[in-house]
Structures are given as structure tokens and as C-alpha cells.
Amino acid sequence: MNDIHGQQAIAFDFVTETAQAVLQQYGFQSIRLPIVEKTELFCRSIGEVTDIVEKEMYTFNDRNNDSLTLRPEGTAGCVRAVIENGLAHNQIQKLFYMGPMFRYERPQKGRYRQFNQFGVEVFGLASVDADAELIALSARLWEKLGLENLELQINSLGSQESRAAYRDILVAYFEAHRAELDEDSLRRLTTNPLRILDTKNPDLKTLVANAPKLLEHLDAESIEHFEHLKNHLEDLGIDYVVNPNLVRGLDYYNRTVFEWVTTELGAQGTVCAGGRYDGLVEQIGGKPTPAVGFAMGIERLMALLIDQGVVPETSAQDIYMVLVGEQVQRPGMVLAESLRDAFPELRIQMNCGGGSFKSQFKKADKSGASFALVLGDDEVTQQTIVVKPLRTDQAQKVVAWDALVETLAQEFSEI
């Protein structure tokens, strides 16, 4: 678990606010989902033999002895909500959600046992343009955030039928090389053999590289779907790499899968991943509904923003009000509120708690404000205020209260 504060909090807000703005450009709407779900939901959707269900979920029994789980990912809960609320019945839904997820795994850079994700899901569209639009959306987000050195990797898992046939071929290959497999791969061989392709063990690199390729065993419709996806990406000028070993760790994916990866966060370099899951809605109890989505780790993006030095300086104030004298506090607060009414886009900090003229100016300078507004007993009597620029060599000026809004509007228009 970790706290988010200071520069990290600025980066967190920058990621989430930018993501929401981009998603709204594409017509997505927000949905809020519970943190706790019935354990059965994740076992049915993610797959009981996946690492998440077997090793990583925080599961407990409540007072009624019902098994509940802190959500390890958001897609299953979103699908459940869509079914229960009838949101996908004969209609297209484009939804996004944000919030904490929980997995018991070894913490590393940008990865925590409580972490935050942005999830994006589209229901009711089977066509490849929905896949391409999601990838284009994510590419636009990296541009808006100012992130660099992200690589798009894509693959196709085919239909459930072609994937099952390939599974048999893959098992036969690894059985013939059983002596070369590590303990984790031997376990996966009988439970989830496609995950062996995604192993991080360097000793298995050659063995995995020589394994039969899923792309060579796709059904005709999946091949066509994948070719159209590549055409869309090329039309959009989005560079990609076909990674035949990209399989994703969850059982519900079919056809398109993709990841945005970086080498700047260590071995676990995925910052955004997703794909198509056309059978999941029916699997959980709804009517057959095509769907595609992705999730991005907010802490991973925060780490990249900080490492690449593109965190915006949003903490600085625009105006700091210096209030000196016993008779100044009440009119000073009234004046501060009137300025916030007039300039809702500006950050205006009023000095609270008193203090000497010198100490207040130190606070004003530390705040990063462009201007200090100085109000003392004499100014209250004369109904004037001193406007002192803090970041330029401009001379200070004395302004009447009724002319302050006009003066500040002029000053900030020139910054």
C-alpha cells in the first residue's frame, strides 16, 4: 500500500484529468463500480487457474459466510453492472471507470498491492474499428500527457475454437520439451499453457521462441479481423509491433490483444493493456454481447511522467494575499472571495493565521504566486490594495478596491 502526495499527487491528478478529457472527446461516459464483489464473479470471468485467482486475490468471508473479494481488476465488475442494469440490451455502451484495485504480488516500481487503474470498456460493437479507436484513444492520451518511448505491441488470440485447437498443439510441443520447463511453466502446462509464452524466465527464451505460433493457427475470420486492425493503425500513423507471444493473463480475451510497454520501468514494463472479450458477457450470465476494452495503471504512468520530467507545475498559486494588521482579516477575506468569484480559473491563496509582513512575504514567494496583494490597516482605511509582481521586475502599484478586478484582468492577460 502507498500514499500519494506532493509531486506524485500532481502527477496523479494530471493523468486522471487528462484521461477523462480525452475519453469525453470519444463519447465515453463514467460508471462507478463497487470495490468489493462476490468472489465467484472473478473465478468465472478471469479463470480459476490464472495467477490472479490462484495467488493474488484478497478474499474473505463476511458475517453471512459469503465469499467476497477486493476487486483485482475492473472488467468483470463492469460487465456485471452492464448485465444487472440492462445497459447492453440492443444498444452500444462506451464506459470508463477509475479507482483502486487489489492484488497480492511482489511490489516493484509503479506496482503496489493497492493500485489505481483507469478502465475503458465498449459493449455492443463486434467490428474492428472499435478495437482501432481504443488504440487511437490511448495513443492520443500519451500525446496529451507528453509521454515518450512507449511501444504498441499487438497480437490476435483468434476465436475460442481456434484457440482451443492451438492449445493442444502448444501442449504437445512443450510436453516434448518437458525437461526444459521450470516449475511455474510445468504448472501452467496443465492449467493455462498459453501463459508459458509470456514467461519472464530468460532460460526459456529460446524454447518459447521456437514454439508454434498462434498467428499461424488462426481461423479465417480472426485473420481478416487482425489484418483490418493493422490497416487501421497504419492509416492512423500509429506504429506497432506484432508480438506473437502476447497472450494476456486473463482467460476471457479473444481476437485482438494489445499492450503499450516501456523499458523505463524495469522488467514489468506494461502501462496499458487490453483487448477483445466477446464471450464474457454471456459467460457471466448476460445475452451474447461483443466487447473490447483496456486498463491502464495510474501509478505506472505517474512514475513515467516523473522520470521523463513532464509533470506540470500545477501547485503554484497565481495570487497570494498578504494581510497585515488586526483590522485587515475580515475585509481581506471578503476581498479574496470576491476575487474568486471574478476569476474562478485563478488559484488565490489568502494568508491565514497572521504573521509579520516579512514572514508572509516569504510564504508568498514560496507559493510560486505571480502577484502578492498586500492589505494593511492603511489600505483598509483608504480602500486601496498594493499589487506587487513577484516574478518580474515590474514596479508595484496601489489600486482602489473597485478597480482591482479590472487591474488583475489586465495583468493576467499579459502573462
Side-chain angles (χ1 to χ4, degrees):
M1 318 318 183
N2 68 301
D3 298 312
I4 298 174
H5 60 92
Q7 189 182 37
Q8 290 184 330
I10 296 171
F12 186 98
D13 292 342
F14 182 46
V15 170
T16 56
E17 290 169 7
T18 304
Q20 289 185 75
V22 171
L23 285 160
Q24 288 166 358
Q25 277 189 289
Y26 286 76
F28 282 79
Q29 294 184 327
S30 172
I31 185 171
R32 303 293 180 183
L33 304 168
I35 291 175
V36 178
E37 297 272 8
K38 293 182 179 178
T39 304
E40 178 191 14
L41 173 66
F42 301 113
C43 293
R44 290 177 63 187
S45 60
I46 297 174
E48 294 198 51
V49 295
T50 58
D51 286 351
I52 292 176
V53 172
E54 288 185 327
K55 302 177 182 179
E56 298 172 0
M57 293 202 314
Y58 285 95
T59 298
F60 59 95
N61 288 345
D62 68 5
R63 292 183 179 181
N64 292 325
N65 209 32
D66 293 326
S67 182
L68 302 176
T69 295
L70 296 175
R71 61 186 185 190
E73 58 94 48
T75 298
C78 190
V79 171
R80 182 222 20 97
V82 163
I83 295 170
E84 290 184 359
N85 294 285
L87 299 180
H89 182 62
N90 294 328
Q91 56 187 311
I92 295 168
Q93 290 288 348
K94 301 173 75 173
L95 305 172
F96 73 88
Y97 50 87
M98 178 189 71
M101 310 292 168
F102 304 84
R103 294 186 193 177
Y104 189 87
E105 58 181 346
R106 181 171 62 87
Q108 50 195 296
K109 186 172 184 180
R111 287 184 181 270
Y112 304 93
R113 290 173 178 173
Q114 176 179 321
F115 57 98
N116 290 276
Q117 277 189 347
F118 229 109
V120 178
E121 318 288 356
V122 178
F123 298 95
L125 288 173
S127 54
V128 70
D129 52 1
D131 308 18
E133 185 181 59
L134 280 190
I135 294 174
L137 184 159
S138 57
R140 183 177 296 274
L141 178 58
W142 313 146
E143 180 184 354
K144 294 291 186 182
L145 291 173
L147 288 173
E148 298 179 345
N149 304 324
L150 286 171
E151 178 184 84
L152 172 64
Q153 298 182 357
I154 63 173
N155 194 20
S156 176
L157 301 182
S159 65
Q160 296 293 344
E161 294 75 18
S162 65
R163 188 174 174 181
Y166 170 71
R167 184 185 189 278
D168 294 338
I169 296 170
L170 192 65
V171 168
Y173 169 79
F174 283 124
E175 283 286 3
H177 298 83
R178 191 179 184 89
E180 302 174 52
L181 298 177
D182 59 15
E183 182 179 348
D184 199 37
S185 296
L186 285 171
R187 179 181 60 83
R188 287 172 169 173
L189 186 58
T190 56
T191 58
N192 196 352
L194 270 70
R195 290 289 287 147
I196 300 175
L197 299 175
D198 197 32
T199 180
K200 301 301 185 290
N201 186 345
D203 295 334
L204 297 179
K205 185 176 181 180
T206 301
L207 181 64
V208 168
N210 294 328
K213 301 295 185 288
L214 177 54
L215 286 174
E216 297 171 359
H217 296 84
L218 296 180
D219 57 287
E221 288 187 8
S222 294
I223 292 173
E224 183 180 14
H225 189 99
F226 194 52
E227 290 302 316
H228 284 325
L229 174 65
K230 291 189 287 185
N231 291 338
H232 277 303
L233 296 179
E234 289 160 10
D235 290 343
L236 295 168
I238 299 175
D239 295 331
Y240 64 86
V241 173
V242 177
N243 179 359
N245 294 331
L246 176 59
V247 296
R248 305 293 299 123
L250 310 180
D251 280 356
Y252 50 64
Y253 286 110
N254 68 294
R255 291 191 175 169
T256 301
V257 288
F258 66 91
E259 291 186 357
W260 287 94
V261 300
T262 178
T263 59
E264 298 180 18
L265 293 174
Q268 300 291 328
T270 302
V271 298
C272 175
R276 183 161 283 282
Y277 51 96
D278 293 332
L280 184 57
V281 176
E282 184 177 13
Q283 181 180 325
I284 293 180
K287 295 182 178 180
T289 304
V292 61
F294 70 74
M296 61 181 187
I298 297 176
E299 281 84 356
R300 311 228 82 196
L301 292 172
M302 288 162 49
L304 271 184
L305 286 168
I306 292 170
D307 287 352
Q308 295 185 8
V310 291
V311 180
E313 296 291 338
T314 58
S315 61
Q317 302 299 309
D318 295 304
I319 295 171
Y320 193 98
M321 291 190 64
V322 175
L323 308 179
V324 184
E326 294 183 2
Q327 307 302 317
V328 173
Q329 305 304 317
R330 289 173 61 186
M333 182 170 288
V334 172
L335 198 57
E337 289 302 306
S338 66
L339 290 177
R340 292 185 179 109
D341 288 338
F343 303 104
E345 74 282 2
L346 295 185
R347 295 176 293 272
I348 301 171
Q349 182 175 347
M350 185 188 75
N351 186 83
C352 294
S356 66
F357 182 82
K358 183 177 180 180
S359 68
Q360 290 192 46
F361 253 97
K362 285 184 178 180
K363 293 178 183 177
D365 190 60
K366 188 176 180 180
S367 75
S370 300
F371 293 91
L373 301 184
V374 185
L375 194 63
D377 289 338
D378 290 344
E379 283 77 23
V380 170
T381 300
Q382 299 167 16
Q383 292 200 325
T384 60
I385 193 165
V386 177
V387 179
K388 181 176 178 57
L390 297 175
R391 303 287 168 243
T392 68
D393 295 331
Q394 289 177 274
Q396 65 184 33
K397 63 181 72 174
V398 178
V399 179
W401 289 2
D402 57 8
L404 181 57
V405 170
E406 181 180 350
T407 299
L408 289 177
Q410 177 65 30
E411 295 286 358
F412 279 98
S413 70
E414 296 176 357
I415 295 178

